[in-house]
Amino acid sequence: GANVRSYGEFAGMAQFNFGGFGLGYSYQFNPGNEPLNRRIGNTTHEIGLSYRFDRLAGLL
């Protein structure tokens, strides 16, 4: 997937599922960095893990 924020940041994300487990990754960046703001990094990397409890779905 992808998204664009109102202040100009872009992000790309993906998730891969292996049985009941999921592994996701997201990268967010701002392509319009101003020269005065380059000392502060505004890129992010995120990793997500998920597990699906199918057997307990009727109890939740």
Side-chain angles (χ1 to χ4, degrees):
N3 74 22
V4 178
R5 294 193 177 218
S6 60
Y7 48 89
E9 290 190 344
F10 294 97
M13 59 202 83
Q15 180 168 339
F16 302 97
N17 296 315
F18 308 98
F21 291 95
L23 177 64
Y25 174 75
S26 175
Y27 177 71
Q28 183 173 324
F29 66 98
N30 186 344
N33 283 341
E34 296 179 14
L36 296 176
N37 288 336
R38 290 185 188 232
R39 289 182 292 164
I40 300 172
N42 59 354
T43 60
T44 61
H45 298 269
E46 297 178 24
I47 297 174
L49 300 173
S50 65
Y51 180 74
R52 185 172 182 114
F53 295 96
D54 284 337
R55 295 180 194 151
L56 301 176
L59 299 175
L60 299 177

